[in-house]
Amino acid sequence: MARLAANGRSKSPGQTKERIIKVAAEMFARKGYHATGVEELSTEVGLGRGALYYHITSKEDLLHEILSRPAEEMSAAVLALQKLDLPSEAKLRQFAQTLMRGISDNRAEWTVFFREFHGLTDHRLRAILELRNSFELALLGIINQGITRGDFRNSDPELLVKGILGMFNYSYLWIRADGRCTPEEIADLFCDALLRGIRAN
Amino acid sequence: MARLAANGRSKSPGQTKERIIKVAAEMFARKGYHATGVEELSTEVGLGRGALYYHITSKEDLLHEILSRPAEEMSAAVLALQKLDLPSEAKLRQFAQTLMRGISDNRAEWTVFFREFHGLTDHRLRAILELRNSFELALLGIINQGITRGDFRNSDPELLVKGILGMFNYSYLWIRADGRCTPEEIADLFCDALLRGIRAN
């Protein structure tokens, strides 16, 4: 794993903080949040413990920053998509592509999101759970709109949405930026299976 | 959460160990493996720290016992299913039902399985990853058999299997033993979506 270059100190505080968040996300994803010590993290970043605490308030704060940024970006993208006037299937495909691209581009952060969110407490935990809920509601909106328009079968959309999200979200475990398919191609393959079924003919 | 009754000491060592594993699974699922201290666990079980260590070798050992038992049971069930001579769709449905029933009956253990497996080291980690891999291979076998028999479309089965597993496995996050559908009904609903697609007509 890369460390701060010897000239790390000449970087702006903003750049250093970005670097801390990136390295922490990778360590938390690999070893777990609780198993990663601040000492270890500061060594990996190439800063002393004191210098590290100049940039972060607490380890939980750092966890919150790792989780909230990609989740807020995803939430904004999904919200924008909801407002578009698109055919039902196109909307489902765009939703899937947005999710898979986001998870692939920030795989460490999403791994931490899915595995370590319970390391947050109080309002921070509530905020993350609300963000997670917003993806589910957005997808439910797309499916329900498809049912209303007569494009999708009406078959327990609330449960179906949980299955579809699992299909995409679980990819944090196996998706690779250098894999043989792009995230968009994988999203399309899964949407094909969902839309027309895997049954022959 | 229930504790050992006052007469806990009169129970057999086997029963006490079962109880320790159950309570630990619930605590690890709720708080995380690393965040749960042995002190706290012994209080929750209603045993002193010394008495607890009479039953377990180490915290990692306990984690391994929590994960390996339901995973080995599931692996055996899936292996038995593979050997049955059944139509492709029936086999897929049985696989799905086995997975959903297993996750629902041992939700705490599966939560720990999906979130905390990286708390294991060396041969224990390898054994768990091999078990996880065995579910994937079993499902791939079912899909490939369906393709060979002309029942399923041939469309990147390796990737498809990851999507289908996500659909089912992700249920550890939301499935409830007292939910409005049984695990088998949920498995069937997801299989319907996968087999015939969600598109109307």
Side-chain angles (χ1 to χ4, degrees):
Chain A
M1 183 167 301
R3 287 156 193 258
L4 262 190
N7 65 352
R9 272 157 222 228
S10 68
K11 289 190 175 165
S12 76
Q15 285 175 309
T16 305
K17 183 148 191 190
E18 287 302 306
R19 176 92 191 111
I20 294 169
I21 292 174
K22 198 74 206 163
V23 171
E26 282 162 12
M27 289 183 84
F28 292 174
R30 198 172 64 243
K31 301 188 52 174
Y33 168 65
H34 286 286
T36 305
V38 171
E39 203 66 47
E40 211 179 351
L41 175 61
S42 59
T43 306
E44 194 74 25
V45 179
L47 285 174
R49 197 183 161 101
L52 185 73
Y53 273 115
Y54 171 79
H55 295 280
I56 65 165
T57 319
S58 66
K59 200 173 127 186
E60 188 185 325
D61 212 59
L62 189 53
L63 176 64
H64 182 248
E65 293 216 43
I66 292 170
L67 300 183
S68 56
R69 205 161 353 161
E72 279 164 8
E73 279 173 18
M74 182 88 85
S75 186
V78 161
L79 210 72
L81 173 62
Q82 271 186 295
K83 290 179 187 154
L84 295 181
D85 185 29
L86 280 175
S88 314
E89 296 198 3
K91 225 171 197 177
L92 179 63
R93 283 185 193 277
Q94 278 211 21
F95 178 88
Q97 290 181 4
T98 304
L99 226 61
M100 296 298 272
R101 169 54 65 185
I103 293 173
S104 176
D105 282 354
N106 297 288
R107 190 176 164 193
E109 288 79 356
W110 284 103
T111 301
V112 178
F113 183 93
F114 289 117
R115 274 198 204 136
E116 307 286 353
F117 67 88
H118 56 352
L120 295 177
T121 54
D122 303 329
H123 66 283
R124 289 199 187 101
L125 179 61
R126 280 195 300 277
I128 286 295
L129 292 178
E130 266 168 38
L131 278 171
R132 203 174 72 181
N133 204 32
S134 74
F135 307 143
E136 197 165 322
L137 286 177
L139 180 56
L140 185 60
I142 293 171
I143 298 294
N144 276 333
Q145 194 187 60
I147 292 170
T148 307
R149 290 183 178 178
D151 299 323
F152 299 153
R153 284 189 293 122
N154 186 353
S155 176
D156 209 327
E158 283 82 11
L159 263 179
L160 184 67
V161 154
K162 292 192 181 292
I164 300 177
L165 274 181
M167 209 167 183
F168 298 120
N169 287 346
Y170 195 70
S171 66
Y172 82 84
L173 271 171
W174 53 265
I175 208 165
R176 288 172 47 184
D178 61 347
R180 65 183 163 84
C181 296
T182 65
E184 288 78 9
E185 286 168 345
I186 299 170
D188 266 337
L189 181 92
F190 288 178
C191 284
D192 285 342
L194 274 172
L195 286 165
R196 54 181 283 204
I198 64 170
R199 203 177 265 165
N201 304 319
Chain B
M1 183 167 298
R3 286 156 193 259
L4 262 190
N7 66 352
R9 274 158 218 227
S10 69
K11 288 188 175 166
S12 75
Q15 284 175 309
T16 306
K17 182 147 193 193
E18 286 304 306
R19 177 92 192 110
I20 294 169
I21 291 175
K22 198 73 205 163
V23 172
E26 282 162 12
M27 290 183 82
F28 292 174
R30 198 172 66 243
K31 301 188 50 172
Y33 167 65
H34 285 286
T36 305
V38 170
E39 203 66 44
E40 212 179 350
L41 175 62
S42 60
T43 307
E44 194 75 25
V45 179
L47 285 174
R49 198 185 160 99
L52 185 74
Y53 273 116
Y54 171 79
H55 295 282
I56 65 165
T57 319
S58 67
K59 200 173 129 189
E60 189 185 323
D61 212 59
L62 189 54
L63 177 63
H64 181 247
E65 293 215 42
I66 292 170
L67 300 183
S68 56
R69 203 153 3 151
E72 278 164 10
E73 279 172 20
M74 182 88 86
S75 184
V78 161
L79 209 73
L81 173 62
Q82 270 186 296
K83 289 179 187 155
L84 296 180
D85 185 28
L86 281 176
S88 315
E89 295 198 4
K91 225 172 199 177
L92 179 64
R93 283 185 193 276
Q94 279 212 21
F95 177 88
Q97 290 182 4
T98 304
L99 224 62
M100 295 297 271
R101 169 54 64 187
I103 292 172
S104 176
D105 282 355
N106 297 288
R107 191 178 162 191
E109 288 79 356
W110 285 104
T111 301
V112 178
F113 182 94
F114 289 118
R115 275 199 203 135
E116 307 286 354
F117 67 88
H118 55 351
L120 297 177
T121 53
D122 303 330
H123 66 283
R124 289 201 187 100
L125 180 60
R126 280 195 300 276
I128 287 294
L129 292 178
E130 266 168 39
L131 278 171
R132 202 173 74 182
N133 203 33
S134 74
F135 308 142
E136 197 165 321
L137 285 177
L139 180 57
L140 185 60
I142 294 171
I143 298 293
N144 276 333
Q145 192 187 61
I147 292 171
T148 307
R149 290 180 178 181
D151 299 323
F152 298 153
R153 284 189 292 121
N154 187 353
S155 177
D156 209 328
E158 283 81 10
L159 263 179
L160 183 68
V161 155
K162 292 191 182 293
I164 299 177
L165 275 181
M167 210 167 183
F168 298 119
N169 287 346
Y170 194 69
S171 66
Y172 82 86
L173 270 171
W174 53 265
I175 207 164
R176 288 172 45 184
D178 62 346
R180 65 182 162 86
C181 295
T182 65
E184 287 79 9
E185 287 168 344
I186 300 170
D188 265 336
L189 180 94
F190 287 177
C191 284
D192 285 342
L194 273 172
L195 285 165
R196 53 181 284 205
I198 64 170
R199 203 177 266 166
N201 304 320

